[in-house]
Amino acid sequence: YWRTEPSIREIRPYGLRLADRRWYLIGYVEESQEVRVYGLDRIIDIDITERKFEFPEDFDLATYFEGCCGVIRQGDIQKVRIKVTDNQQKYVDSLPLHGSQRMIERNDEKNFAIFEYHVKLAMDFTMKILSYGASIEVIEPMGYRRKIADIAEKMSKVYGIN
């Protein structure tokens, strides 16, 4: 994604994935000899060759992206708990942040719900958490809570608010 110049790749296509309104091609790249992910909107041209390949029996798209919120596969799957307030809990409940989402507590009187996830803490999940602003509080893990707090502090400085 970070390259400015087009490049040519020979790819054995393994599948497609939709994440955050963008389609991605997942395939084995001959040059690097590894599976990579490419946004379809960034592909300029495709030449379909006559070359055949055997789809690996041990490759499964769901397993490849297990714990992922989008297409970023960094990190290990971790248990995350968040507290959702400001009447956003019904929205989060009806439109889950991740497929592993499970509501573990709901308090209508105090207007909050606690959700649990088993997810990789990559940037795409972090962006979803941050998109709810102060309506979402990360409860655990503590390291991730600190990371979100650090980002919120930097945002506050950007806006000139102490």
Side-chain angles (χ1 to χ4, degrees):
Y1 185 78
W2 311 113
R3 294 182 186 188
T4 56
E5 296 297 318
S7 60
I8 297 173
R9 300 280 186 262
E10 186 170 328
I11 301 172
R12 298 176 185 176
Y14 286 0
L16 297 171
R17 180 176 173 92
L18 177 64
D20 290 324
R21 301 179 314 230
R22 178 176 282 161
W23 282 98
Y24 293 89
L25 168 67
I26 296 86
Y28 181 83
V29 180
E30 295 289 336
E31 184 180 75
S32 62
Q33 296 189 346
E34 62 185 358
V35 175
R36 294 225 178 138
V37 179
Y38 296 94
L40 288 184
D41 59 318
R42 295 190 45 86
I43 296 174
I44 297 169
D45 191 22
I46 295 176
D47 290 328
I48 299 173
T49 68
E50 296 296 320
R51 292 189 58 187
K52 305 268 186 238
F53 70 92
E54 294 223 9
F55 192 89
E57 289 182 25
D58 62 343
F59 185 85
D60 176 70
L61 211 53
T63 303
Y64 185 76
F65 286 112
E66 185 177 8
C68 295
C69 192
V71 294
I72 303 172
R73 298 179 58 243
Q74 70 187 95
D76 296 324
I77 296 173
Q78 297 188 42
K79 181 174 81 172
V80 177
R81 287 192 175 177
I82 64 171
K83 181 179 183 179
V84 184
T85 60
D86 298 332
N87 292 318
Q88 293 298 309
Q89 62 270 28
K90 291 178 184 175
Y91 188 76
V92 171
D93 190 33
S94 69
L95 189 61
L97 303 181
H98 183 260
S100 67
Q101 177 173 301
R102 186 171 67 95
M103 185 187 298
I104 59 172
E105 184 181 344
R106 183 182 195 130
N107 188 321
D108 290 328
E109 186 178 300
K110 293 185 178 179
N111 194 26
F112 75 86
I114 308 288
F115 293 92
E116 182 176 283
Y117 304 87
H118 294 274
V119 66
K120 293 183 179 188
L121 300 180
M123 182 51 87
D124 40 17
F125 184 70
T126 298
M127 289 168 48
K128 284 191 177 191
I129 293 290
L130 293 171
S131 73
Y132 282 88
S135 296
I136 286 185
E137 174 188 357
V138 173
I139 298 170
E140 64 176 89
M142 189 54 70
Y144 190 57
R145 179 180 171 92
R146 279 191 211 99
K147 177 180 179 172
I148 297 298
D150 288 346
I151 292 170
E153 183 179 348
K154 288 176 185 173
M155 290 174 68
S156 177
K157 289 178 182 175
V158 166
Y159 289 97
I161 300 169
N162 296 328

PDB file of all heavy atoms in Angstrom, residues 1 11 13 24 42 45 47 55-56 59-60 67 86 94 98 112 119 122 150:
ATOM      1  N   TYR A   1       0.813  -1.198   0.000  1.00  0.00           N
ATOM      2  CA  TYR A   1       0.000   0.000   0.000  1.00  0.00           C
ATOM      3  C   TYR A   1       0.851   1.254   0.000  1.00  0.00           C
ATOM      4  O   TYR A   1       0.428   2.289  -0.469  1.00  0.00           O
ATOM      5  CB  TYR A   1      -0.947  -0.006   1.206  1.00  0.00           C
ATOM      6  CG  TYR A   1      -1.913   1.155   1.197  1.00  0.00           C
ATOM      7  CD1 TYR A   1      -3.022   1.139   0.385  1.00  0.00           C
ATOM      8  CD2 TYR A   1      -1.703   2.266   1.996  1.00  0.00           C
ATOM      9  CE1 TYR A   1      -3.902   2.200   0.363  1.00  0.00           C
ATOM     10  CE2 TYR A   1      -2.575   3.329   1.988  1.00  0.00           C
ATOM     11  CZ  TYR A   1      -3.672   3.291   1.169  1.00  0.00           C
ATOM     12  OH  TYR A   1      -4.541   4.338   1.153  1.00  0.00           O
ATOM     13  N   ILE A  11       0.292 -13.813  -9.148  1.00  0.00           N
ATOM     14  CA  ILE A  11      -0.427 -14.219  -7.942  1.00  0.00           C
ATOM     15  C   ILE A  11      -1.303 -15.433  -8.224  1.00  0.00           C
ATOM     16  O   ILE A  11      -2.005 -15.480  -9.236  1.00  0.00           O
ATOM     17  CB  ILE A  11      -1.312 -13.057  -7.423  1.00  0.00           C
ATOM     18  CG1 ILE A  11      -0.445 -11.838  -7.118  1.00  0.00           C
ATOM     19  CG2 ILE A  11      -2.116 -13.488  -6.207  1.00  0.00           C
ATOM     20  CD1 ILE A  11      -1.237 -10.590  -6.800  1.00  0.00           C
ATOM     21  N   PRO A  13      -4.492 -16.752  -7.023  1.00  0.00           N
ATOM     22  CA  PRO A  13      -5.605 -16.236  -6.204  1.00  0.00           C
ATOM     23  C   PRO A  13      -6.207 -17.317  -5.303  1.00  0.00           C
ATOM     24  O   PRO A  13      -6.550 -18.401  -5.766  1.00  0.00           O
ATOM     25  CB  PRO A  13      -6.615 -15.761  -7.248  1.00  0.00           C
ATOM     26  CG  PRO A  13      -6.298 -16.528  -8.491  1.00  0.00           C
ATOM     27  CD  PRO A  13      -4.827 -16.822  -8.439  1.00  0.00           C
ATOM     28  N   TYR A  24     -10.688  -7.178  -1.050  1.00  0.00           N
ATOM     29  CA  TYR A  24      -9.279  -7.550  -1.080  1.00  0.00           C
ATOM     30  C   TYR A  24      -9.100  -8.897  -1.769  1.00  0.00           C
ATOM     31  O   TYR A  24      -9.924  -9.806  -1.611  1.00  0.00           O
ATOM     32  CB  TYR A  24      -8.721  -7.661   0.344  1.00  0.00           C
ATOM     33  CG  TYR A  24      -8.658  -6.339   1.065  1.00  0.00           C
ATOM     34  CD1 TYR A  24      -9.748  -5.882   1.813  1.00  0.00           C
ATOM     35  CD2 TYR A  24      -7.520  -5.543   1.000  1.00  0.00           C
ATOM     36  CE1 TYR A  24      -9.694  -4.666   2.474  1.00  0.00           C
ATOM     37  CE2 TYR A  24      -7.467  -4.326   1.663  1.00  0.00           C
ATOM     38  CZ  TYR A  24      -8.560  -3.895   2.397  1.00  0.00           C
ATOM     39  OH  TYR A  24      -8.499  -2.693   3.042  1.00  0.00           O
ATOM     40  N   ARG A  42      -6.729  -0.967  -5.852  1.00  0.00           N
ATOM     41  CA  ARG A  42      -5.367  -0.524  -6.141  1.00  0.00           C
ATOM     42  C   ARG A  42      -4.737  -1.326  -7.285  1.00  0.00           C
ATOM     43  O   ARG A  42      -3.622  -1.064  -7.684  1.00  0.00           O
ATOM     44  CB  ARG A  42      -4.510  -0.632  -4.883  1.00  0.00           C
ATOM     45  CG  ARG A  42      -5.013   0.329  -3.795  1.00  0.00           C
ATOM     46  CD  ARG A  42      -4.090   0.441  -2.626  1.00  0.00           C
ATOM     47  NE  ARG A  42      -2.700   0.597  -2.939  1.00  0.00           N
ATOM     48  CZ  ARG A  42      -2.074   1.762  -3.195  1.00  0.00           C
ATOM     49  NH1 ARG A  42      -2.755   2.873  -3.199  1.00  0.00           N
ATOM     50  NH2 ARG A  42      -0.784   1.791  -3.437  1.00  0.00           N
ATOM     51  N   ASP A  45      -4.352  -3.349 -13.487  1.00  0.00           N
ATOM     52  CA  ASP A  45      -4.614  -4.209 -14.637  1.00  0.00           C
ATOM     53  C   ASP A  45      -4.405  -5.659 -14.227  1.00  0.00           C
ATOM     54  O   ASP A  45      -3.571  -5.956 -13.367  1.00  0.00           O
ATOM     55  CB  ASP A  45      -3.659  -3.839 -15.785  1.00  0.00           C
ATOM     56  CG  ASP A  45      -4.032  -4.488 -17.105  1.00  0.00           C
ATOM     57  OD1 ASP A  45      -5.214  -4.867 -17.275  1.00  0.00           O
ATOM     58  OD2 ASP A  45      -3.145  -4.614 -17.967  1.00  0.00           O
ATOM     59  N   ASP A  47      -3.881  -9.591 -16.009  1.00  0.00           N
ATOM     60  CA  ASP A  47      -3.737 -10.498 -17.143  1.00  0.00           C
ATOM     61  C   ASP A  47      -3.953 -11.908 -16.631  1.00  0.00           C
ATOM     62  O   ASP A  47      -3.203 -12.373 -15.765  1.00  0.00           O
ATOM     63  CB  ASP A  47      -2.333 -10.397 -17.761  1.00  0.00           C
ATOM     64  CG  ASP A  47      -2.101  -9.083 -18.474  1.00  0.00           C
ATOM     65  OD1 ASP A  47      -3.080  -8.529 -19.022  1.00  0.00           O
ATOM     66  OD2 ASP A  47      -0.952  -8.615 -18.475  1.00  0.00           O
ATOM     67  N   PHE A  55      -4.622 -25.543  -5.577  1.00  0.00           N
ATOM     68  CA  PHE A  55      -5.004 -24.806  -4.378  1.00  0.00           C
ATOM     69  C   PHE A  55      -4.565 -25.636  -3.166  1.00  0.00           C
ATOM     70  O   PHE A  55      -4.878 -26.818  -3.075  1.00  0.00           O
ATOM     71  CB  PHE A  55      -6.523 -24.602  -4.350  1.00  0.00           C
ATOM     72  CG  PHE A  55      -6.976 -23.630  -3.313  1.00  0.00           C
ATOM     73  CD1 PHE A  55      -7.074 -22.278  -3.606  1.00  0.00           C
ATOM     74  CD2 PHE A  55      -7.297 -24.053  -2.024  1.00  0.00           C
ATOM     75  CE1 PHE A  55      -7.496 -21.371  -2.648  1.00  0.00           C
ATOM     76  CE2 PHE A  55      -7.715 -23.153  -1.069  1.00  0.00           C
ATOM     77  CZ  PHE A  55      -7.809 -21.810  -1.374  1.00  0.00           C
ATOM     78  N   PRO A  56      -3.816 -25.034  -2.239  1.00  0.00           N
ATOM     79  CA  PRO A  56      -3.322 -25.813  -1.093  1.00  0.00           C
ATOM     80  C   PRO A  56      -4.472 -26.326  -0.216  1.00  0.00           C
ATOM     81  O   PRO A  56      -5.354 -25.553   0.175  1.00  0.00           O
ATOM     82  CB  PRO A  56      -2.461 -24.822  -0.312  1.00  0.00           C
ATOM     83  CG  PRO A  56      -2.590 -23.513  -0.982  1.00  0.00           C
ATOM     84  CD  PRO A  56      -3.409 -23.660  -2.205  1.00  0.00           C
ATOM     85  N   PHE A  59      -5.041 -24.527   3.172  1.00  0.00           N
ATOM     86  CA  PHE A  59      -5.349 -23.108   3.256  1.00  0.00           C
ATOM     87  C   PHE A  59      -6.854 -22.910   3.389  1.00  0.00           C
ATOM     88  O   PHE A  59      -7.639 -23.420   2.597  1.00  0.00           O
ATOM     89  CB  PHE A  59      -4.842 -22.335   2.045  1.00  0.00           C
ATOM     90  CG  PHE A  59      -5.059 -20.847   2.174  1.00  0.00           C
ATOM     91  CD1 PHE A  59      -4.137 -20.063   2.850  1.00  0.00           C
ATOM     92  CD2 PHE A  59      -6.196 -20.243   1.668  1.00  0.00           C
ATOM     93  CE1 PHE A  59      -4.335 -18.695   3.003  1.00  0.00           C
ATOM     94  CE2 PHE A  59      -6.408 -18.878   1.812  1.00  0.00           C
ATOM     95  CZ  PHE A  59      -5.481 -18.105   2.484  1.00  0.00           C
ATOM     96  N   ASP A  60      -7.231 -22.126   4.389  1.00  0.00           N
ATOM     97  CA  ASP A  60      -8.633 -21.798   4.622  1.00  0.00           C
ATOM     98  C   ASP A  60      -8.701 -20.306   4.931  1.00  0.00           C
ATOM     99  O   ASP A  60      -8.039 -19.832   5.857  1.00  0.00           O
ATOM    100  CB  ASP A  60      -9.174 -22.631   5.794  1.00  0.00           C
ATOM    101  CG  ASP A  60     -10.592 -22.256   6.149  1.00  0.00           C
ATOM    102  OD1 ASP A  60     -11.505 -22.563   5.359  1.00  0.00           O
ATOM    103  OD2 ASP A  60     -10.784 -21.637   7.219  1.00  0.00           O
ATOM    104  N   GLY A  67      -9.535 -14.118  14.078  1.00  0.00           N
ATOM    105  CA  GLY A  67      -9.224 -13.078  15.053  1.00  0.00           C
ATOM    106  C   GLY A  67      -9.038 -11.698  14.458  1.00  0.00           C
ATOM    107  O   GLY A  67      -8.869 -10.725  15.180  1.00  0.00           O
ATOM    108  N   ASP A  86     -23.694   5.770  26.624  1.00  0.00           N
ATOM    109  CA  ASP A  86     -24.315   6.830  25.811  1.00  0.00           C
ATOM    110  C   ASP A  86     -25.298   6.286  24.775  1.00  0.00           C
ATOM    111  O   ASP A  86     -25.353   6.771  23.642  1.00  0.00           O
ATOM    112  CB  ASP A  86     -23.254   7.687  25.104  1.00  0.00           C
ATOM    113  CG  ASP A  86     -22.345   8.406  26.076  1.00  0.00           C
ATOM    114  OD1 ASP A  86     -22.793   8.690  27.194  1.00  0.00           O
ATOM    115  OD2 ASP A  86     -21.190   8.672  25.711  1.00  0.00           O
ATOM    116  N   SER A  94     -26.316  -4.522  17.811  1.00  0.00           N
ATOM    117  CA  SER A  94     -26.952  -4.864  16.537  1.00  0.00           C
ATOM    118  C   SER A  94     -25.976  -4.883  15.361  1.00  0.00           C
ATOM    119  O   SER A  94     -26.253  -5.500  14.335  1.00  0.00           O
ATOM    120  CB  SER A  94     -28.097  -3.891  16.240  1.00  0.00           C
ATOM    121  OG  SER A  94     -27.592  -2.607  15.965  1.00  0.00           O
ATOM    122  N   HIS A  98     -16.884  -7.108  15.785  1.00  0.00           N
ATOM    123  CA  HIS A  98     -16.137  -8.294  15.358  1.00  0.00           C
ATOM    124  C   HIS A  98     -17.045  -9.508  15.528  1.00  0.00           C
ATOM    125  O   HIS A  98     -17.941  -9.501  16.374  1.00  0.00           O
ATOM    126  CB  HIS A  98     -14.858  -8.448  16.203  1.00  0.00           C
ATOM    127  CG  HIS A  98     -14.000  -9.588  15.773  1.00  0.00           C
ATOM    128  ND1 HIS A  98     -14.002 -10.791  16.424  1.00  0.00           N
ATOM    129  CD2 HIS A  98     -13.115  -9.705  14.752  1.00  0.00           C
ATOM    130  CE1 HIS A  98     -13.152 -11.606  15.825  1.00  0.00           C
ATOM    131  NE2 HIS A  98     -12.598 -10.968  14.808  1.00  0.00           N
ATOM    132  N   PHE A 112     -25.382   1.146  30.286  1.00  0.00           N
ATOM    133  CA  PHE A 112     -24.140   0.622  29.726  1.00  0.00           C
ATOM    134  C   PHE A 112     -24.267  -0.871  29.453  1.00  0.00           C
ATOM    135  O   PHE A 112     -25.171  -1.536  29.944  1.00  0.00           O
ATOM    136  CB  PHE A 112     -22.938   0.893  30.654  1.00  0.00           C
ATOM    137  CG  PHE A 112     -22.862   0.013  31.870  1.00  0.00           C
ATOM    138  CD1 PHE A 112     -22.237  -1.229  31.805  1.00  0.00           C
ATOM    139  CD2 PHE A 112     -23.396   0.424  33.086  1.00  0.00           C
ATOM    140  CE1 PHE A 112     -22.158  -2.040  32.927  1.00  0.00           C
ATOM    141  CE2 PHE A 112     -23.316  -0.372  34.206  1.00  0.00           C
ATOM    142  CZ  PHE A 112     -22.696  -1.615  34.126  1.00  0.00           C
ATOM    143  N   VAL A 119      -9.906 -11.226  19.667  1.00  0.00           N
ATOM    144  CA  VAL A 119      -9.512 -10.517  18.457  1.00  0.00           C
ATOM    145  C   VAL A 119      -8.029 -10.170  18.492  1.00  0.00           C
ATOM    146  O   VAL A 119      -7.426 -10.075  19.561  1.00  0.00           O
ATOM    147  CB  VAL A 119     -10.384  -9.233  18.326  1.00  0.00           C
ATOM    148  CG1 VAL A 119     -10.096  -8.258  19.429  1.00  0.00           C
ATOM    149  CG2 VAL A 119     -10.251  -8.564  16.992  1.00  0.00           C
ATOM    150  N   ALA A 122      -4.967  -5.300  16.129  1.00  0.00           N
ATOM    151  CA  ALA A 122      -4.352  -4.577  15.016  1.00  0.00           C
ATOM    152  C   ALA A 122      -5.044  -3.233  14.836  1.00  0.00           C
ATOM    153  O   ALA A 122      -6.067  -2.949  15.454  1.00  0.00           O
ATOM    154  CB  ALA A 122      -4.449  -5.421  13.742  1.00  0.00           C
ATOM    155  N   ASP A 150      -3.460   6.588  25.440  1.00  0.00           N
ATOM    156  CA  ASP A 150      -2.369   7.365  24.838  1.00  0.00           C
ATOM    157  C   ASP A 150      -2.818   8.027  23.538  1.00  0.00           C
ATOM    158  O   ASP A 150      -2.502   9.190  23.283  1.00  0.00           O
ATOM    159  CB  ASP A 150      -1.149   6.478  24.575  1.00  0.00           C
ATOM    160  CG  ASP A 150      -0.420   6.066  25.844  1.00  0.00           C
ATOM    161  OD1 ASP A 150      -0.676   6.660  26.913  1.00  0.00           O
ATOM    162  OD2 ASP A 150       0.402   5.127  25.752  1.00  0.00           O
TER     163      ASP A 150
END
